Amino acid sequence: MQGSPSDPRRMRAWLTVAVDEARISVGEGGIPIGAALIGPDGEVLGRGHNRRVQDADPSLHAETAAFRAAGRRRTYRDTTMVTTLSPCWYCSGLVRQFGISRVVIGEARTFVGGHTWLAEHGTDIVLLDDPQCVELMEHFIAANPELWMEDIGDDGEHRQR
Ligand SMILES: [Zn+2]
């Protein structure tokens, strides 16, 4: 295999695929979260972005879109989910359900999902703390607070943990 699979430059390159997806979503008037599923040799198996607004589908998160785009696989061992934002509980469940080995996260400043839980259960978590990803989310949340609360399942009465 060329280069170490945990080479930080490789992970940054994968993150650009997710960021490109997030920007596509912005262009479509959607939520700026993008993701890609990366194969054992670093190839992009599938990519996608949150489509809550575009498809009126609350189950189409960036990670699920990338996962679905990748199609069927016998095993997810040695695959990496790269996402611009800490994965929510729903997407963390997907990672654990299918045994995706690693999650590379753009940022966890604007939202913290289940990545600590994943780490506790053996998923390799890499948090890149990327300023581009933070800026995308901060800009979006400031402009669309209600849409953001809807996406993370916060109805104002309780916060999902
Ligand atoms: Zn999610």
Side-chain angles (χ1 to χ4, degrees):
M1 225 186 283
Q2 294 296 310
S4 161
S6 54
D7 182 340
R9 284 168 303 178
R10 255 188 139 188
M11 296 193 203
R12 294 255 169 212
W14 295 339
L15 184 65
T16 63
V17 178
V19 169
D20 286 349
E21 284 292 328
R23 294 197 190 285
I24 291 168
S25 192
V26 173
E28 295 169 348
I31 295 172
I33 306 172
L37 186 67
I38 308 295
D41 296 320
E43 72 278 29
V44 176
L45 301 172
R47 52 189 290 171
H49 51 268
N50 186 299
R51 302 194 58 85
R52 167 179 293 269
V53 173
Q54 294 92 322
D55 294 1
D57 184 347
S59 75
L60 261 176
H61 284 194
E63 298 90 334
T64 52
F67 182 76
R68 291 174 67 179
R72 291 171 58 181
R73 285 183 74 79
R74 177 67 189 86
T75 176
Y76 291 86
R77 191 179 307 133
D78 299 327
T79 63
T80 298
M81 181 67 82
V82 55
T83 177
T84 55
L85 183 65
S86 174
C88 73
W89 286 114
Y90 165 58
C91 295
S92 296
L94 180 146
V95 167
R96 189 142 179 232
Q97 170 70 32
F98 293 97
I100 293 168
S101 298
R102 182 199 288 140
V103 180
V104 173
I105 301 166
E107 65 110 347
R109 289 176 187 264
T110 64
F111 175 78
V112 177
H115 71 263
T116 303
W117 174 77
L118 284 171
E120 286 167 3
H121 289 89
T123 308
D124 182 17
I125 300 293
V126 179
L127 183 52
L128 294 176
D129 199 26
D130 180 82
Q132 272 188 109
C133 294
V134 175
E135 197 206 324
L136 270 169
M137 284 309 296
E138 283 182 343
H139 185 264
F140 165 74
I141 293 168
N144 307 276
E146 288 185 9
L147 177 56
W148 177 232
M149 290 298 156
E150 180 187 315
D151 194 62
I152 59 177
D154 187 338
D155 62 7
E157 296 296 314
H158 73 288
R159 227 185 136 84
Q160 290 190 356
R161 289 282 172 197

